[in-house]
Amino acid sequence: MSFAPVSKLQGSADPVPSAARTTPSASAASLSGLELSCRPLREVHGLEGQWRELAGRVGAAASAFLDWPWIGAWLGMLPPSADVRVLQARLQGRVVGLALLVRTRRKLGPVSFCEAWHLHASGDPVLDKICIEHNDFLVLPEHADALRAAMLAHWQQVAGSAAELHLPGLVGEGWARLLPAGMTAEDETKPSAGVALGPVRDAKLDFTPLLSSHARRFVRRSMKEYQTVIGPLAVEVADSRVQAGQFLDELIRLHEAIWHKRGLTGAFAGSGVLDFHHRLIDLAWPDGGVQLLRVRTGDRPMGYLYSFVRGGRLYVYQSGFDYGLLEKHGRPGLVTHALAIQHNAGLGHGYYDLLAGESQYKATVATDHEGMTWSVWRKPAWRFRLEQQLRIWVRQVRQHRQKGQESPGEVASAPAKEED
């Protein structure tokens, strides 16, 4: 893990009254006098006060990943060498926009290649395995796009001439509409799934009628099997910080066991990851921003869910299930999620967010689907054009080698396309 410092930041980091230059014309009048700055983070405590105050004004428009518990815990896991910059927008002396950018140097092979700035991420794959989603600038919703545009334009001013901006986990198609002229974007979109909880309440807190007939049969049969063989099903939510920590420890044990069985490491492996989650729970617990939930069959735990809560939305972040309780018909994941969905619908939450990524259980229980985008924006610079040409050349060489390795028989035996 290394954070290579940038020896010289090109451009001013002082506040720039730039609303007239950087905001869309439709919002220029309402944001007249906007001041922007991008300064090194010197003191976390002062930032916490500003962040919490603005997050309170933004309300449900900001995700749990932009709430202070996530941001504060993330800052706590960064090494001292991390170059963290606070991108801030002020209007009439009051903060209306905040974002944290970590500035690194990206390498191309062994060569230091360009400035790389990361929105609420470190640029280190080990640290970033906590995987931020629903990422954004923390901005007032009534001026959201105008503030984003102004803040992005200010980043352009302070970043070097050959710089790229990494924007992980943006909702939907990302910020393509805000891409400044001359810059290029490289996007990767991942599916994201969830369950609207209003229809579950309308169904008298029975989630199974909303499933496909195939999934409904599996879930109901599994529920019956657990109750017949072991005992009644029950949902428990941790009601103290101590119990939340116990639930998390058990979740991690089950989660890591199944990944180790596959010869892989789970989501909680890696330096600082466990400390991050315990710090996050400490920060979120007083305001009800985290939920640790357990489903039991009889007196035996079947599954655990670790979720964030904000604005009526439940972000189901990680899980751990015991797959060894039944010899057959045991689907602890489906049963745990079904019961958790019903429980949270009963609490009045609006949406059960399964977050990004494809899996069988998400395809089974989801009633809603959206996308999430990981973007890299690049300034117009010759080195990026050269890199793109190198990528094309490498891809062509690989394709040529693959063709050379195919035998004539293998090529000739490929089925011909059928005609209508």
Side-chain angles (χ1 to χ4, degrees):
M1 175 176 64
S2 64
F3 286 80
V6 180
S7 59
K8 183 178 180 182
L9 179 66
Q10 299 185 33
S12 170
D14 294 329
V16 177
S18 54
R21 292 197 311 273
T22 60
T23 59
S25 58
S27 301
S30 61
L31 292 179
S32 177
L34 185 69
E35 293 186 336
L36 297 163
S37 62
C38 186
R39 294 194 178 101
L41 175 62
R42 300 299 186 194
E43 202 268 314
V44 173
H45 182 71
L47 174 67
E48 178 179 358
Q50 287 187 336
W51 198 282
R52 286 186 180 275
E53 192 274 338
L54 180 57
R57 293 163 61 201
V58 172
S63 75
F65 294 89
L66 293 182
D67 214 357
W68 183 254
W70 178 281
I71 295 296
W74 168 68
L75 286 172
M77 77 184 301
L78 296 180
S81 59
D83 184 1
V84 184
R85 303 276 163 155
V86 183
L87 180 58
Q88 183 185 94
R90 282 181 173 267
L91 186 63
Q92 298 175 355
R94 198 171 189 186
V95 176
V96 294
L98 283 170
L100 297 176
L101 300 172
V102 176
R103 189 178 62 157
T104 68
R105 294 290 303 186
R106 178 166 70 86
K107 290 185 176 182
L108 187 61
V111 179
S112 178
F113 185 69
C114 69
E115 284 184 25
W117 299 63
H118 306 264
L119 176 63
H120 304 139
S122 70
D124 183 292
V126 175
L127 298 181
D128 289 342
K129 72 179 298 181
I130 62 173
C131 196
I132 188 168
E133 299 185 24
H134 293 273
N135 199 7
D136 200 347
F137 292 162
L138 184 65
V139 292
L140 294 180
E142 58 266 33
H143 302 300
D145 264 4
L147 287 168
R148 291 185 190 106
M151 294 167 76
L152 287 165
H154 190 71
W155 170 80
Q156 281 187 285
Q157 294 176 19
V158 302
S161 58
E164 60 187 20
L165 178 61
H166 293 247
L167 301 167
L170 304 179
V171 173
E173 297 180 355
W175 296 349
R177 64 193 181 281
L178 301 176
L179 184 67
M183 291 189 67
T184 60
E186 182 179 330
D187 294 337
E188 178 187 3
T189 301
K190 301 178 183 180
S192 180
V195 178
L197 297 180
V200 181
R201 283 189 289 276
D202 294 341
K204 300 181 180 179
L205 301 184
D206 183 4
F207 175 57
T208 56
L210 305 181
L211 296 169
S212 68
S213 59
H214 184 70
R216 183 165 57 247
R217 183 172 66 255
F218 278 141
V219 172
R220 287 176 174 172
R221 183 172 65 177
S222 289
M223 287 181 174
K224 182 178 180 180
E225 193 81 4
Y226 280 114
Q227 293 180 95
T228 301
V229 175
I230 303 176
L233 295 168
V235 176
E236 300 173 302
V237 175
D239 59 6
S240 70
R241 174 62 185 92
V242 172
Q243 190 176 42
Q246 293 170 348
F247 280 19
L248 180 65
D249 290 342
E250 283 300 300
L251 181 153
I252 292 171
R253 182 183 65 81
L254 292 170
H255 175 92
E256 294 295 328
I258 192 66
W259 284 101
H260 289 166
K261 191 174 181 180
R262 299 168 183 168
L264 302 169
T265 58
F268 296 94
S271 175
V273 174
L274 288 180
D275 287 343
F276 164 82
H277 287 293
H278 282 289
R279 189 180 301 114
L280 189 158
I281 294 173
D282 285 340
L283 290 168
W285 189 260
D287 297 323
V290 65
Q291 181 187 92
L292 273 298
L293 179 147
R294 175 172 68 186
V295 170
R296 286 188 296 105
T297 173
D299 61 355
R300 301 181 67 178
M302 173 198 300
Y304 293 85
L305 297 174
Y306 169 31
S307 306
F308 313 131
V309 185
R310 181 174 169 83
R313 193 179 188 105
L314 206 78
Y315 302 82
V316 187
Y317 181 75
Q318 278 299 345
S319 59
F321 306 115
D322 190 337
Y323 290 92
L325 295 179
L326 293 178
E327 291 185 7
K328 59 180 181 178
H329 306 317
R331 290 178 172 80
L334 288 180
V335 173
T336 299
H337 279 292
L339 294 177
I341 287 166
Q342 293 172 176
H343 178 82
N344 282 288
L347 294 180
H349 295 307
Y351 195 77
Y352 189 87
D353 193 333
L354 293 162
L355 300 177
E358 294 182 277
S359 68
Q360 184 58 50
Y361 84 86
K362 290 183 181 182
T364 301
V365 304
T367 60
D368 289 76
H369 297 84
E370 59 183 358
M372 206 161 290
T373 299
W374 276 251
S375 275
V376 182
W377 289 10
R378 295 186 173 95
K379 284 192 167 189
W382 65 266
R383 68 185 66 189
F384 294 131
R385 294 191 293 273
L386 174 61
E387 181 182 26
Q388 181 63 23
Q389 288 301 314
L390 287 173
R391 288 181 178 180
I392 293 172
W393 178 77
V394 169
R395 186 165 58 248
Q396 290 174 340
V397 169
R398 287 175 177 170
Q399 291 173 348
H400 179 74
R401 287 177 177 174
Q402 288 173 354
K403 288 181 179 179
Q405 292 171 355
E406 292 174 349
S407 69
E410 289 174 333
V411 175
S413 63
K417 181 180 177 181
E418 293 185 356
E419 302 292 340
D420 293 334

